[in-house]
Amino acid sequence: MGRRRWRDGLGALSVLGPDGEEVRIPLEVASSYRARTKGLLGRGSVDGAMLLTPANSVHTFRMRMAIDVAYLDRRLNVIAVRTMRPGRLGLPRLRARHVLEAEAGAMDEWGVRVGARVEVVEGSAESADGAGRLG
């Protein structure tokens, strides 16, 4: 399996539950240094989730809301999930290659827990013109 690279943009996150059920969530991908640095800073809420890639830790300094953070390995398996209040520094996860962020409580609702697998679905209804294409 080669290295997967995504571009900044919009897409969908597919969460595969243990019973085979799939949940689709709107996703924003932050893969450039600038997009990862900004992340969710300054936002009062987020519609769906944000994938920071590559990343193995996050902080919530200057954030307005508590967030759920899921650390993903190179195969997009969830290796840890934490809820972080504003003004906190998360510890780096050695096996993590990607970090998924969402509003506090959302990960539990979607079934994102340790051992779950997620998939990034390229493109979305909002990016039909190709401007937000991932790849």
Side-chain angles (χ1 to χ4, degrees):
M1 182 174 182
R3 286 190 79 158
R4 186 177 308 166
R5 298 253 182 201
W6 293 289
R7 291 187 210 142
D8 293 345
L10 302 175
L13 183 75
S14 175
V15 180
L16 307 173
D19 57 356
E21 185 178 327
E22 178 183 23
V23 177
R24 287 245 174 147
I25 299 117
L27 179 70
E28 185 176 339
V29 176
S31 62
S32 69
Y33 176 77
R34 185 176 190 171
R36 286 191 320 268
T37 302
K38 184 175 182 195
L40 297 176
L41 294 177
R43 295 188 191 186
S45 67
V46 59
D47 179 30
M50 176 175 274
L51 178 71
L52 305 174
T53 180
N56 68 356
S57 68
V58 296
H59 68 81
T60 57
F61 300 124
R62 297 187 352 224
M63 291 191 77
R64 297 178 180 175
M65 62 184 172
I67 61 170
D68 281 348
V69 178
Y71 298 89
L72 311 174
D73 67 10
R74 68 179 73 244
R75 291 189 174 91
L76 301 180
N77 294 311
V78 179
I79 57 176
V81 180
R82 299 286 179 263
T83 299
M84 295 177 65
R85 295 187 321 229
R88 303 288 186 235
L89 177 64
L91 295 174
R93 304 288 170 170
L94 296 178
R95 290 182 25 233
R97 297 294 178 265
H98 316 281
V99 175
L100 190 63
E101 298 179 337
E103 285 191 44
M107 301 271 183
D108 189 44
E109 182 181 318
W110 300 332
V112 176
R113 50 188 56 88
V114 174
R117 175 142 167 53
V118 300
E119 292 180 3
V120 174
V121 181
E122 297 182 19
S124 68
E126 295 91 340
S127 61
D129 64 356
R133 210 175 113 251
L134 304 174

